């Protein structure tokens, strides 16, 4: 069967990882990546010897790219013509503009969480609503926090039924290497309810959700605490057992050494994962407690890489590569090497 | 009526503020403060011209104090002999040892949250269980997080009845000027449930509580989110109205400029408050949301100063200065200048 | 003699401290402060009971001020008419616009370091070039880093003669309470040479200066290291003795407890200084070393308050209150309570 | 020719990278690594499928390792018997104890910078004093800051002659994943002169050095500014040209996107370097300025990985694999893939 041809627009934090993710999928072909300027990431692509073909998203900057000796394979329009589906990881707002090009050329596209929901036909999560994405032209992925959160909520919902959740998002404010999004020695509040709670209700409309988001001056992963009302009284052991079975949730303990968000980053580097990335969310077993009949627990969201698997699921859905949710997500997982550690335990 | 005579052991972050708080109480007399070494705080006391008499807690360091020209009024034992009640703000564990001296001399004492509960006859909070402290010899205050949290829970409990709470503590990890308690670019998890939830149940045994604590690399105040099950369905407006009446809760909004924990510190400095301290907890009106029938909200805890009012209440209770909870706390509030801003709104 | 009448434009971090500083000068009268909106600082002014009269810098926001119950004494133009000299601490660029008003009304004004040098007739430092400011209509103060740095360089220059300096500025990136100027887990480089080195050469043209500036994610004070070539070989002891005599330099040691920049903030709070401010720069005695015949040392710059004394000097110069540099700066120091600690040692 | 057999003691931040570095050297064989407990890094080794054989450094913890299913190939003593040279990256002080074992078995060993100089026969730097390490039994590497600093100083010394340097070390205080070495919102001073300046003089005794070290709350690399007196007046262009030729110095500009220390980490991740590591130091071309006849510039030290190349050089020296300094370092560079980017420019 012919491989599905994929392009990536925007070669930044997310775009690079999408390109890497596609390159790992045995049934997809990465045609190329597009960006506007010789950013550090584009310079690194050149120093690596151009493993991915590069297309320019703006002819205006062609001279700047040439001056940096970046080999350019063509324009972004040429890239779009060659692919079946574009993954759009450009800055918020640019995707909506790019959509005109995708529509003109009759191509499918998947947008990241920064775009408005209206950019797409379907607001998508690989585990929670795979079926809705089947055959759609335009998908929008949930944001990093929402993607990871929904993994844990959908897992419990399918196992026990979930009625409502109240979340506290302890948000990392920048990525490693950012200089202009910072906070220094401050915790910053967002007006409640957080958009992640609202987004969760869009994806899982039978669950009520609210939440408070607090920005913190760190770079290695968000932590979310969840207070969850389930349909029946679920024990801590039952909950942990269900989480342990999920291929995209890594259940850990403080005692093992997972002391906080940066432990996951450290561990991923020690594993030799490219870029020190981790595709799984973490879930602390020693955070799971009962609040009356409710459950409470904490998860870790690796913001740079967590949406990659669900985006691969999105390609499978919109291209109709697999009809079945489990078959599709298992295929993504296999190519990304997820869940292998579960055999070790 | 003769003023109650008070001494302070440990002239650090908390001890200094206890001394300042006592000095403001019209019906108390600060006899003196005791510490062991010429710390920066003790040096500052000297540069200020010794507004408080200083006693040495360890004759071994007398030479060191003399070398720094710190005038010493006597030994800590001499200080204890002169007072009715000691406020012990020494490092965790030292208070338990000091208790022997207080007991030997037949004096009352109030310990801070760092000591074990067993050090005291009563685990005390001015608003929640004032009556239990009446006439007791040894009280232990709740810790800073628990003190502030209980203010908000007790407020709602007296207004509407509270059944259970699930809290997320976003803990500041050090005070301004600390160098050795730090975290750098990491969020650190504690095993759940947090001790603050357990302590809340000790003070308010009819309420079920659990919680998760996450340490964050900031210095200006803890933020706690609370998911609260009340006895009846309470609206956001009702909850906010009740919070607004509490003399030790400052209801604010992000729109006014209270963007996060450090806004309270900034505001207290702008107010000209000594040391930039604030005695009230903050509560964000725009954080109050409903989760089904539950309430959710976020509070800010100024860790350096929040326990000062409740410690003043403790002196009133153990010395029997006021029998009534409201009369006692109102007296403390009056002398500390709390709640005056409510008349401005 | 009639007091000099002073107004302050911009009631932010610097403007508040300028107002406090003027209020302390026995030979000046603070007529009022002006700002545009009900910021947290303006709300705090109201909660304090309006110790300073408030004027509105923009009639457009009058309704917003009224809604917050901020008593308004008039427009900024009305304030300017009442004063002899305006201290302009508005955001960078606004001062240049305000200058038109000051010029139209024939008033003197002193701008802060954020404005371009061209805004003023004289680029001013109280100790280094007081005489140049005598009678001038428009002065611009050096920035916080440059003000503190020049204190130390001018001190050595007058004692021993200085030929050149190479500085490394370890810059705090935000003030306590800032949310939008942050850096998170990063050190950020500026292109060399730093403007502070260039500014130093403008004030002290006989000294050659260069430097590198690195932004760091902290809020409590810049640290600058200085490699200084003096006209003759100066011993560490001679240098320290000269620094100790300067009324605006506080010589400290790590052993005393001054472990870093936040120790000065801690100490100022412990001293009971309003807002926890310190007017002196710190100089670590145990940082002073020889590099061949050169000297090397490190100073601490309290960014929020360090320019206040030199601005008071600026009022004295432009109003001709004192003709002599030492008489003028000594008068400022006396009213600000600076240098008193020297009598303790 | 038989490969040199190498073992690593201590599988932490440095030990892991030493193992990776040896595994890349075509003329060396990594026999195994030793550690005491199932740390996160050891757990990661297992999850990776044990690419390196693991030996236990403490039989007491054998049960703990077994409980975590870590395959153990033997004791550390058994590892030492199998190798020609041990790389000791254990915690400070443990190496001195391990030395007894190495001496008993007649093996060579290379210690990291945390040990006292007295642990070794030679204090070693691959570029600066390779010849001294030839045939020695025990070498001690310079620390990460000193290693990177000496690269730049030795480079200039060999090109132009260096008389003295005055350095300011802006030190990162923890590594990513650390929780217990932190600083929060503070810059902390060390007593001057810094040990790095003293160490430089031990390695390069003809150069005078002093310096001041300031700890900063970041994790991604130290920045050092250097004020350097050369034997003759060297222009900025000459200096940059010399730096550009050095295989272990990466000359960059802010304009390219290298805005600070975390840019190097970002770039190394984007390059796909294992663990996101970089072996080169960075040197900002736009930081190089003249201070009279002196030079001033800033370098970036990737603390986790910078000592790996010089340790490989150390193996070559003590085992006599290459007699010539340039041949030896070039061989290390070739196997580590260093300096390849220079052909791109």
């Amino acid at each position: 069967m012919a491989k599905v041809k994929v392009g990536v627009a925007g070669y930044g934090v997310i775009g690079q990882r999408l390109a890497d993710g596609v390159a790992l999928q045995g049934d997809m072909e990465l045609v190329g990546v597009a960006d506007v300027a010789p950013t550090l990431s584009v310079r690194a692509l050149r120093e690596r010897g151009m493993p991915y073909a590069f297309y320019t998203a703006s002819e205006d900057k062609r001279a700047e790219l040439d001056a940096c000796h970046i080999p350019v394979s063509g324009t972004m329009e040429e890239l779009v013509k060659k692919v079946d589906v574009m993954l759009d990881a450009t800055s918020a707002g640019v995707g909506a503009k790019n959509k005109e090009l995708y529509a003109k050329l009759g191509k499918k596209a998947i947008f990241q969480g920064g775009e408005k929901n209206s950019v797409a036909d379907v607001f998508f999560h690989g585990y929670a609503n795979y079926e809705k994405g089947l055959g759609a032209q335009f998908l929008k992925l949930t944001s990093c926090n929402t993607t990871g959160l929904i993994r844990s909520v959908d897992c419990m919902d399918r196992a026990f039924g979930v009625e409502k959740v109240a979340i506290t998002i302890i948000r990392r404010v920048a990525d490693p290497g950012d200089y202009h999004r910072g906070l220094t020695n401050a915790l910053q509040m967002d007006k409640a309810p957080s958009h992640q709670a609202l987004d969760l209700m869009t994806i899982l409309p039978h669950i009520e959700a609210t939440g408070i988001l607090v920005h913190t001056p760190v770079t290695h992963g968000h932590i979310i605490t969840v207070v969850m009302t389930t349909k029946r009284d679920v024990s801590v052991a039952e909950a942990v057992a269900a989480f342990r079975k999920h291929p995209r949730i890594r259940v850990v303990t403080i005692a093992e050494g997972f002391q906080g968000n940066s432990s996951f980053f450290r561990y991923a580097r020690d594993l030799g994962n490219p870029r020190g990335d981790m595709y799984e969310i973490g879930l602390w077993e020693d955070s799971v407690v009962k609040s009356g009949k409710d459950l409470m627990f904490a998860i870790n969201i690796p913001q740079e890489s967590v949406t990659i698997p669900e985006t691969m699921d999105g390609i499978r859905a919109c291209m109709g590569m697999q009809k079945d949710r489990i078959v599709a997500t298992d295929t993504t997982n296999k190519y990304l090497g997820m869940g292998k550690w579960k055999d070790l335990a």
Side-chain angles (χ1 to χ4, degrees), chain A residues 19-67:
Chain A
D20 295 349
V22 170
L24 289 169
Q25 307 294 309
D27 48 3
M28 301 182 192
E29 178 194 342
L30 179 71
V31 179
V33 301
D35 208 324
V36 288
T39 61
L40 271 194
S41 300
V42 173
R43 289 167 194 267
L45 185 67
R46 170 175 174 257
E47 188 168 328
R48 288 172 71 189
M50 303 302 294
Y52 309 143
F54 181 81
Y55 293 78
T56 176
S58 162
E59 278 296 315
D60 299 352
K61 302 254 185 165
R62 183 63 181 259
E64 210 178 313
L65 290 162
D66 290 346

Side-chain angles (χ1 to χ4, degrees), chain A residues 148-156 228 243 249 281 297 299:
Chain A
L149 172 65
I150 289 181
R151 281 188 199 167
S152 70
V153 174
D154 173 74
C155 169
M156 298 304 283
M228 176 181 278
F243 286 133
I249 300 177
I281 64 166
F297 58 87
I299 57 177

Side-chain angles (χ1 to χ4, degrees), chain A residues 106-164:
Chain A
K107 302 295 184 172
K108 303 201 176 207
I110 305 180
F111 301 91
Q112 291 296 308
E115 294 295 318
K116 289 185 184 161
N117 285 0
S118 59
V119 80
D121 308 315
V122 177
F123 193 29
F124 181 81
H125 188 282
Y127 273 84
N129 69 354
Y130 183 83
E131 298 80 3
K132 283 210 166 178
L134 282 170
Q137 185 176 7
F138 296 120
L139 300 184
K140 193 196 112 165
L141 261 284
T142 46
S143 68
C144 58
N145 266 308
T146 315
T147 299
L149 172 65
I150 289 181
R151 281 188 199 167
S152 70
V153 174
D154 173 74
C155 169
M156 298 304 283
D157 188 39
R158 293 182 188 266
F160 311 110
V162 171
E163 290 181 350
K164 71 172 199 283

Side-chain angles (χ1 to χ4, degrees), chain A residues 244 340-345:
Chain A
R244 282 199 180 277
K340 285 188 304 189
W341 75 90
K342 297 194 186 276
D343 304 331
L344 290 169

Side-chain angles (χ1 to χ4, degrees), chain A residues 221-286:
Chain A
H222 315 289
I223 290 179
I224 306 179
T225 68
V226 182
V227 179
M228 176 181 278
T229 305
T230 44
K231 287 197 175 145
R232 69 165 175 86
D233 198 339
V234 176
S235 73
V236 167
E238 285 177 302
V240 170
F243 286 133
R244 282 199 180 277
K245 282 191 203 137
H246 198 291
R248 293 186 190 168
I249 300 177
R250 186 183 275 269
V251 178
V252 303
T253 65
I254 298 169
E256 287 166 343
F258 288 92
Q259 297 181 66
N261 68 338
S262 67
S263 300
F264 289 94
F265 187 69
R266 162 86 190 250
Y267 192 70
R269 295 175 80 197
D270 288 359
L271 281 176
N273 288 2
R275 303 177 198 279
D277 284 345
M278 186 169 278
Y279 293 129
E280 305 96 31
I281 64 166
L283 188 145
W284 278 278
E285 182 170 353
D286 28 20

